[in-house]
C-alpha cells in the first residue's frame, strides 16, 4: 500500500480544504454520514485517508449522491511527442491510493486480449495490469469501490471472438470482484468491487449502459435503470468556454435532487499547429480552477470529475465535499 509518498500532500490538502469548508450545523449533519447511534462515529475531515474515504460514508448512499475524483484516460502515461497522448503522472495504483474512484480505461482488442491505448499509442500497459492493481487495492481497502469505464480503443486485430467475449473472460477470472448490474448502486452493495460503466456493445445487459456516448459535447443518456448526464467537451478551442461547461455541470449536480449520475470531464486538448493536440494546455488551465472551486465548495454531491494529471491534493479537495 503506497501511503507514505502521498502523506505530506494529504496533510497539506487537509489543512487547506478544512479551513475552506463551511462548518456544518450539528442539527443539520451532512447526509450519508453514519449517525452517532451507529458503530462508526461521525467522521471529521482528518478521520480517514485517501485509501479508505468511502468507508466513512453510509452503505445506503447511492453512487449518484457522491463527489468522486476520477481520471481521464487513466492508463495513458506514454507519448511520442510531448502533450499528445500522456494524461496522467500517477500509475493506476497511485491514483487509487490518492483517492481516485473512477477509472477511464481504453482497451485495444488484440489477439483475444486487451492492451491499454490512448488512440493509436500503446501505453506499455495491459488490462491484466489494470485489474491486478484494482483488485489488490480493493483487497487492502474493502470499504471502497471503483467505477470503471471500459471503452474499445483503436483497431481490433487478430481476434477470434468479440470484444464482449474477451471482456467476459477477464471478469470470469475474478467474478466476485465485479458488479455488472445496470442500475446506479448503493455504496454498501458495491464495496470491495469494480462497478462497470460500459462504453462497448453487448448482447446482454451488462453494467451501466453508456454506449450512446455523444461526441465532444454535454449530453444525457436516459436508460430505464440509470440516468446519466455527461460533459465530455474534449476538443477545446476556447479554454474559458471549457471551464464554463465544467463549472455549470458542477453547479447543476450540486443543486439537483434527481437520482442521476453526473460525469464531468475536466480534460481535453487544444488543437495546435497542423491539428497536433496539446493536452497540457487544457490541464494547466482547468486544474487550477478545479482547485479553486473545490477549496471553497460546500458539502454536497458534485458527481464524478475525471481529470488529467490528478494529484492527491486535488483529489482530496473533491473528496472533502462528501463530509
Amino acid at each position: 500500500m503506497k501511503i507514505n509518498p502521498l502523506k505530506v500532500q494529504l496533510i497539506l490538502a487537509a489543512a487547506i480544504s478544512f479551513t475552506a469548508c463551511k462548518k456544518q450545523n450539528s442539527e443539520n449533519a451532512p447526509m450519508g454520514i453514519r449517525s452517532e447511534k451507529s458503530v462508526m462515529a461521525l467522521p471529521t475531515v482528518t478521520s480517514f485517508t485517501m485509501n479508505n474515504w468511502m468507508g466513512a460514508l453510509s452503505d445506503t448512499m447511492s453512487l449518484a449522491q457522491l463527489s468522486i475524483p476520477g481520471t481521464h484516460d487513466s492508463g495513458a502515461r506514454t507519448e511520442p511527442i510531448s502533450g499528445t497522448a500522456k494524461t496522467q503522472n500517477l500509475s493506476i495504483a497511485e491514483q487509487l491510493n490518492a483517492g481516485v474512484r473512477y477509472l477511464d480505461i481504453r482497451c485495444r482488442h488484440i489477439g483475444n486480449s486487451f492492451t491499454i491505448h490512448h488512440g493509436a499509442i500503446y501505453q506499455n500497459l495491459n488490462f491484466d495490469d489494470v485489474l491486478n492493481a484494482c483488485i489488490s487495492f480493493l483487497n487492502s481497502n474493502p470499504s471502497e469501490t471503483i467505477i470503471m469505464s471500459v471503452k474499445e480503443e483503436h483497431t481490433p486485430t487478430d481476434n477470434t471472438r468479440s470484444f464482449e467475449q474477451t471482456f467476459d473472460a477477464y471478469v470470469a477470472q475474478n467474478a466476485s470482484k465485479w458488479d455488472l448490474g445496470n442500475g446506479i448502486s448503493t455504496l454498501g452493495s458495491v464495496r470491495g468491487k469494480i462497478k462497470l460503466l460500459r462504453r462497448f456493445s453487448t448482447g446482454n445487459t451488462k453494467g451501466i449502459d453508456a454506449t450512446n456516448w455523444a461526441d465532444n459535447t454535454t449530453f444525457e443518456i436516459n436508460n430505464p435503470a440509470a440516468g446519466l448526464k455527461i460533459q465530455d467537451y474534449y476538443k477545446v478551442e476556447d479554454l474559458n468556454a471549457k471551464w464554463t461547461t465544467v463549472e455549470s455541470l458542477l453547479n447543476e449536480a450540486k443543486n439537483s435532487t434527481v437520482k442521476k449520475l453526473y460525469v464531468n470531464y475536466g480534460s481535453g486538448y487544444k488543437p495546435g499547429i497542423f491539428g497536433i493536440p496539446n493536452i497540457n494546455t487544457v490541464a494547466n488551465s482547468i486544474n487550477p480552477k478545479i482547485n479553486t472551486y473545490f477549496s471553497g465548495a460546500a458539502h454536497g454531491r458534485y458527481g464524478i470529475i475525471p481529470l488529467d494529471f490528478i494529484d492527491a491534493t486535488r483529489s482530496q479537495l473533491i473528496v472533502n465535499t462528501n463530509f
Side-chain angles (χ1 to χ4, degrees):
M1 201 184 296
K2 300 181 180 178
I3 300 174
N4 290 337
L6 299 172
K7 191 171 183 180
V8 175
Q9 293 184 53
L10 294 180
I11 293 171
L12 290 173
I16 293 169
S17 54
F18 184 75
T19 57
C21 286
K22 295 182 178 179
K23 292 183 179 180
Q24 299 291 328
N25 186 298
S26 60
E27 295 179 354
N28 187 27
M31 288 180 61
I33 298 178
R34 300 177 184 182
S35 70
E36 293 176 339
K37 295 180 181 180
S38 66
V39 175
M40 183 177 291
L42 287 171
T44 64
V45 170
T46 56
S47 68
F48 57 87
T49 70
M50 288 296 93
N51 279 32
N52 61 16
W53 64 267
M54 285 180 159
L57 297 173
S58 169
D59 283 348
T60 61
M61 290 192 76
S62 163
L63 295 179
Q65 290 178 272
L66 306 182
S67 302
I68 299 176
T71 47
H72 156 253
D73 257 302
S74 305
R77 301 173 67 207
T78 298
E79 59 189 358
I81 302 171
S82 178
T84 60
K86 180 179 178 180
T87 60
Q88 304 300 329
N89 291 319
L90 303 182
S91 68
I92 298 295
E94 289 168 339
Q95 290 172 34
L96 295 172
N97 283 324
V100 168
R101 296 293 180 270
Y102 173 88
L103 298 176
D104 177 3
I105 304 299
R106 313 290 178 97
C107 300
R108 183 186 184 189
H109 195 200
I110 180 168
N112 292 330
S113 297
F114 292 161
T115 55
I116 305 304
H117 272 242
H118 186 175
I121 310 302
Y122 173 52
Q123 293 301 315
N124 299 320
L125 191 71
N126 299 324
F127 197 47
D128 279 322
D129 301 316
V130 173
L131 294 182
N132 287 341
C134 290
I135 290 169
S136 176
F137 174 81
L138 292 171
N139 284 340
S140 297
N141 301 280
S143 64
E144 308 305 287
T145 188
I146 300 166
I147 303 170
M148 184 183 291
S149 167
V150 177
K151 176 181 181 288
E152 183 167 9
E153 190 90 343
H154 199 45
T155 308
T157 306
D158 298 328
N159 300 297
T160 60
R161 59 188 181 186
S162 69
F163 187 96
E164 179 186 8
Q165 288 171 326
T166 294
F167 175 80
D168 289 346
Y170 281 106
V171 170
Q173 294 172 13
N174 290 282
S176 66
K177 289 296 183 182
W178 288 88
D179 184 292
L180 302 180
N182 63 346
I184 301 174
S185 307
T186 59
L187 185 53
S189 69
V190 290
R191 293 193 193 276
K193 297 183 180 182
I194 302 167
K195 175 70 180 182
L196 176 65
L197 180 75
R198 177 173 55 82
R199 294 185 63 185
F200 60 91
S201 298
T202 61
N204 302 305
T205 300
K206 190 170 291 161
I208 297 173
D209 184 359
T211 52
N212 291 327
W213 198 282
D215 187 56
N216 196 39
T217 189
T218 300
F219 58 98
E220 294 192 39
I221 299 175
N222 294 307
N223 302 315
L228 302 98
K229 186 160 186 178
I230 300 165
Q231 182 278 123
D232 189 20
Y233 168 37
Y234 63 85
K235 187 177 180 181
V236 182
E237 304 282 357
D238 183 330
L239 293 169
N240 290 328
K242 171 64 176 180
W243 173 247
T244 297
T245 62
V246 172
E247 185 178 35
S248 175
L249 201 62
L250 289 173
N251 293 337
E252 180 180 328
K254 170 66 171 64
N255 295 321
S256 175
T257 58
V258 177
K259 184 182 177 182
K260 180 181 296 184
L261 197 62
Y262 284 86
V263 185
N264 192 358
Y265 276 78
S267 53
Y269 72 86
K270 187 171 178 63
I273 299 173
F274 306 118
I276 297 173
N278 193 318
I279 293 167
N280 298 332
T281 297
V282 177
N284 290 340
S285 173
I286 299 301
N287 284 350
K289 292 180 174 66
I290 289 286
N291 281 25
T292 300
Y293 182 95
F294 280 99
S295 291
H299 162 79
R301 68 94 175 251
Y302 293 86
I304 297 168
I305 303 104
L307 301 169
D308 286 340
F309 306 112
I310 201 161
D311 59 24
T313 299
R314 192 167 299 115
S315 179
Q316 184 160 22
L317 289 173
I318 295 169
V319 166
N320 283 347
T321 61
N322 292 294
F323 300 97

